[in-house]
Amino acid sequence: MQKIAVLGLGSMGAPIARRLAAHGFPVTGWSRTPRPVEGVAVAASAREAVRDADVVITMLTDGPVVMSVVGAAELPPGATLVEMSTIGPDAVRELAAALPAGVDLVDAPVAGSTGAAEGGTLRIFAGGTDAAVDRVAPVLATLGDVRRCGPSGGGAAMKVVLNTALVTALAALAEALQVADDLGVPRADALDALGSGPLGNAVQRLSGKARFPVRLAAKDLALSVAGRDLPVALAAGRHLAAADPSADLSTIAVSSPKGT
């Protein structure tokens, strides 16, 4: 079995590491905030975690954190880095250029929440050479369904497309709930009706394990808008600002609606 290191044992990294360990992979994990994970050997540093690893998985907050952690880890020659965070294709290219010789990169961001990670039903969008993706295919198949998206950066690009749709759907849901308020329709009833329609996924994101934190939505929206004129996405940014005025939306040049 391939030896696996998982860097980032947060809400998604922990169930990914736990599932891989439960399916027989030797897994070592590391996180900036130390936490135990069933079946996983937790290392004191990223460098210790990747020692002798065949596959290194990163599930971290954003591009700068990924660059910092991977740089400090000093990946061993022959390892394959599977970058599963949502960081965008530009950051993937920057990461690829910074890797030591002999280390391949597969960008494989995921669609799905913690429940999907625990159950092995993630949708995984893999970018990279055929040889590199083939090498990590058994690992990815344990976590969910894999869609090959072409060369390096292709998986990251596809995830930006999906997240743009999700965040703008959340904005549309916010508009629909405002109409419900104006017309005297109880929100619970409106959400129940909307949940069975095209905004069903957005409704799920309002509660339970599928909840989408505003700070992460803001980060993903910044990846969508960067260098583009997307009025709908900018409107979504205004709703995010209204939901959490403390969210850092400066990178997408939006402001809160009047009065928020």
Side-chain angles (χ1 to χ4, degrees), residues 26-40:
V27 181
T28 301
W30 171 85
S31 186
R32 290 178 294 176
T33 303
R35 50 173 61 89
V37 177
E38 183 180 357
V40 176

Side-chain angles (χ1 to χ4, degrees), residues 48-190:
E48 179 184 332
V50 307
R51 187 180 303 146
D52 299 326
D54 301 302
V55 178
V56 178
I57 293 173
T58 49
M59 181 57 87
L60 299 161
T61 308
D62 55 30
V65 172
V66 171
M67 289 292 293
S68 175
V69 169
V70 170
E74 298 183 2
L75 273 59
T80 301
L81 174 61
V82 180
E83 206 306 290
M84 303 191 82
S85 323
T86 299
I87 63 175
D90 291 342
V92 166
R93 285 187 282 270
E94 182 182 358
L95 179 62
L99 290 178
V103 175
D104 285 331
L105 173 63
V106 173
D107 54 294
V110 303
S113 62
T114 55
E118 291 166 353
T121 58
L122 292 169
R123 288 187 294 155
I124 303 168
F125 303 95
T129 65
D130 287 340
V133 176
D134 287 344
R135 196 177 307 127
V136 300
V139 176
L140 297 180
T142 304
L143 301 175
D145 295 324
V146 182
R147 176 171 182 161
R148 299 194 182 214
C149 299
S152 182
M158 184 65 75
K159 182 62 189 300
V160 171
V161 172
L162 266 64
N163 275 11
T164 302
L166 173 59
V167 176
T168 51
L170 288 170
L173 179 60
E175 294 284 3
L177 291 176
Q178 183 60 58
V179 171
D181 290 344
D182 292 344
L183 296 176
V185 176
R187 283 206 167 196
D189 292 345

Side-chain angles (χ1 to χ4, degrees), residues 177-208:
L177 291 176
Q178 183 60 58
V179 171
D181 290 344
D182 292 344
L183 296 176
V185 176
R187 283 206 167 196
D189 292 345
L191 287 169
D192 183 60
L194 289 165
S196 61
L199 290 178
N201 190 34
V203 172
Q204 292 178 17
R205 288 292 186 169
L206 291 180
S207 60

